[in-house]
Amino acid sequence: MLQPVRGTHDLLPDLMARQRMVHTAARRVASFFSFEEMATPIFEFSSVFHRLGESSDIVSKETYTFQDRGGEELTLRPEGTAPVMRAIVSNGLTQSLPLRFLYIGPMFRYDRPQKGRYRQFEQVGVELVGPMSPAADLEVLCFAHMLLTQIGVRDQVKLHINTLGDKESRARYRETLVAYLTPFASELSVDSQRRLSENPLRILDSKEPQDRKILENAPSFEDALSPESAAYFQEVCTGLDALKIAYHIDRKLVRGLDYYCHTAFEFICETMGAQGTVLAGGRYEGLTSAMGGPDIPGVGWAAGTERLRDLSPHIPQKAPLFYLVPMGDAPQRESTPLAYALREAGLCVKTDMGGGNMGKRLKRADASGATCALILGEDELARHEILVKDLASGAQITLALNALAPYLKETFDLKD
Ligand code: ATP
Ligand code: MG
């Protein structure tokens, strides 16, 4: 028996419906914020990701990179920001700023599979490209907050926020941090030992207990911030206060790629353990120039759809279903055009396709989750009538066939 590849999952209808709820909410909130949906290919030239720095964990360890039959080096996208920036440059959109994009789609990372961590997963993400201001950071934070509210997870997550400051602040901090960590180098995790020379800031984000212990006394980012960077961050925080969005300043929060600067944030669900970050993002610069365009700053975030889905208490709403039961040869023949006409009128119809007596068929109607059974017998058909049986109450009513659709729409309050 064949199994799906480790770290991949089938989305059977129940999960799919719950995942779609997240999509619907994201698209709704996007329209309120005037963000437009776009999509990029799921694979790109490897250079789109690799020029962002081999030092990031995603690029160095987690990409699915392969040569296609034409010998091109391609990578399944591990995240959405670099492809969106590539698309902005490739399509000449750098003249039409600001850009406000939503994307939804699968990402691929060679991560260690476990609950909430997959090798193919999906992200919902946004990018606000062009403006370099606390107001832009607040705009995407508000979007995230509203999405989390609408899917019912806001009270289960906490906003953690930090600033990585400008380039100079980061370089200053990097030096202080390396000076502090170097004497402990041999006690750090293997990954962090590698990061020490390549991407020391990323060590702050390590989940390894031995690293966390050493980091307890690490110098604070705050002391390395330039006055301008500190003022920028203060404005973001004041904005959150005004919005009454609660947050926790976490001086150890960093982002993976070197392009991140200033505001960095994560919405974390503490009860989910190491897979508790449901949405993460921040401000970046230099990405469009790495793609061969002018340097345009941006701010955005991405959320794991599966993690959002698993936290959301909402149950997908289905439109009422009508279960058509033809009894006899003539009704059987009539059932296909009748179902077609009802569907054309905007009703959801499932026609019974098994045999058996009425009892058996009504049992199937019940099991299908239908609201009503529509029973079309020989006698009813001869009189151009149909029996409508409410499956919850058992109440039934006989109607003229041509009155059926208007009756169902009126009774179940279905709009066109
Ligand atoms: P983590 O620290 O959990 O590895 P990350 O820093 O790699 O996360 P980002 O690159 O910021 O994550 O991606 C944003 C969001 O995408 C995460 O907060 C998470 O919800 C989701 N995500 C990332 N990697 C995976 C994965 N392998 N499986 C499922 N969801 C993921
Ligand atoms: Mg990761």
Side-chain angles (χ1 to χ4, degrees):
M1 188 173 51
L2 283 173
Q3 298 293 339
V5 174
R6 201 164 123 78
T8 70
H9 290 271
D10 299 310
L11 282 178
L12 296 182
D14 272 351
L15 277 186
M16 188 72 230
R18 288 175 44 215
Q19 212 146 301
R20 213 169 47 211
M21 233 167 40
V22 175
H23 302 165
T24 306
R27 291 185 173 120
R28 238 170 79 84
V29 176
S31 66
F32 295 149
F33 280 80
S34 185
F35 275 57
E36 290 183 299
E37 187 169 355
M38 69 169 295
T40 61
I42 60 171
F43 53 84
E44 296 270 354
F45 290 119
S46 300
S47 53
V48 168
F49 305 104
H50 286 250
R51 62 175 68 165
L52 304 185
E54 301 293 338
S55 58
S56 91
D57 285 1
I58 295 179
V59 176
S60 62
K61 301 192 309 187
E62 298 179 359
T63 51
Y64 278 92
T65 294
F66 60 99
Q67 252 192 17
D68 76 358
R69 290 167 200 274
E72 302 282 12
E73 283 286 327
L74 304 178
T75 294
L76 297 184
R77 63 179 185 202
E79 57 97 36
T81 306
V84 169
M85 295 305 123
R86 197 272 306 137
I88 287 173
V89 173
S90 319
N91 291 282
L93 300 180
T94 53
Q95 301 301 315
S96 349
L97 305 175
L99 297 162
R100 303 153 78 89
F101 290 132
L102 166 76
Y103 61 85
I104 300 176
M107 303 295 163
F108 305 84
R109 292 185 193 176
Y110 194 81
D111 234 335
R112 190 159 61 83
Q114 50 199 296
K115 184 161 171 48
R117 190 174 295 288
Y118 313 110
R119 289 182 172 172
Q120 175 177 340
F121 63 101
E122 192 187 84
Q123 282 186 342
V124 169
V126 306
E127 308 295 348
L128 171 46
V129 183
M132 160 73 200
S133 68
D137 302 12
L138 287 164
E139 183 85 338
V140 300
L141 279 162
C142 283
F143 190 130
H145 186 265
M146 191 177 286
L147 174 61
L148 295 170
T149 306
Q150 296 223 343
I151 62 175
V153 313
R154 188 195 53 194
D155 295 340
Q156 302 175 69
V157 297
K158 221 161 132 186
L159 169 59
H160 291 232
I161 191 164
N162 190 19
T163 176
L164 308 175
D166 51 23
K167 260 200 206 83
E168 295 70 38
S169 310
R170 247 180 352 274
R172 213 167 16 244
Y173 182 65
R174 190 183 160 121
E175 240 170 71
T176 334
L177 184 65
V178 171
Y180 167 79
L181 287 174
T182 304
F184 299 104
S186 60
E187 295 162 52
L188 289 170
S189 67
V190 178
D191 274 343
S192 291
Q193 289 184 21
R194 178 178 49 79
R195 294 174 185 136
L196 190 54
S197 55
E198 295 175 352
N199 190 0
L201 295 192
R202 185 72 191 187
I203 298 175
L204 295 177
D205 193 38
S206 168
K207 286 157 189 121
E208 299 298 330
Q210 74 247 51
D211 296 344
R212 301 226 62 92
K213 187 143 181 296
I214 295 169
L215 288 169
E216 271 169 23
N217 299 314
S220 171
F221 218 133
E222 202 177 355
D223 302 327
L225 285 179
S226 66
E228 298 76 31
S229 296
Y232 186 104
F233 187 55
Q234 185 53 49
E235 230 181 289
V236 174
C237 293
T238 309
L240 289 171
D241 292 334
L243 287 154
K244 297 194 168 55
I245 296 178
Y247 60 93
H248 163 73
I249 297 178
D250 176 354
R251 295 290 180 188
K252 295 205 164 66
L253 194 157
V254 293
R255 303 281 303 147
L257 303 174
D258 303 340
Y259 292 83
Y260 284 90
C261 58
H262 293 289
T263 319
F265 55 87
E266 293 187 355
F267 283 87
I268 301 175
C269 171
E270 270 145 22
T271 58
M272 268 177 127
Q275 276 67 254
T277 303
V278 297
L279 183 154
R283 172 161 287 284
Y284 46 84
E285 60 195 4
L287 274 171
T288 45
S289 43
M291 305 295 165
D295 188 6
I296 297 164
V299 59
W301 50 256
T305 308
E306 293 83 356
R307 295 186 194 178
L308 294 180
R309 171 198 79 196
D310 292 346
L311 272 186
S312 174
H314 293 173
I315 295 160
Q317 293 295 308
K318 282 187 182 165
L321 176 69
F322 302 102
Y323 196 90
L324 179 58
V325 183
M327 297 294 292
D329 289 342
Q332 181 67 52
R333 278 191 298 279
E334 202 45 49
S335 67
T336 305
L338 173 60
Y340 193 98
L342 293 172
R343 291 164 181 154
E344 250 183 347
L347 299 163
C348 303
V349 180
K350 192 184 225 173
T351 305
D352 185 68
M353 298 212 170
N357 59 26
M358 180 70 91
K360 246 190 179 151
R361 300 180 126 204
L362 284 179
K363 231 185 217 145
R364 281 200 294 268
D366 256 331
S368 76
T371 305
C372 291
L374 312 174
I375 301 163
L376 189 64
E378 303 271 10
D379 295 347
E380 281 96 353
L381 181 58
R383 290 195 301 268
H384 301 288
E385 287 177 352
I386 191 161
L387 185 74
V388 178
K389 185 180 170 78
D390 185 308
L391 289 167
S393 69
Q396 51 187 55
I397 177 175
T398 301
L399 293 172
L401 269 173
N402 61 11
L404 178 61
Y407 168 84
L408 293 177
K409 291 178 83 166
E410 165 85 32
T411 310
F412 296 99
D413 198 23
L414 302 170
K415 310 259 167 347
D416 280 322

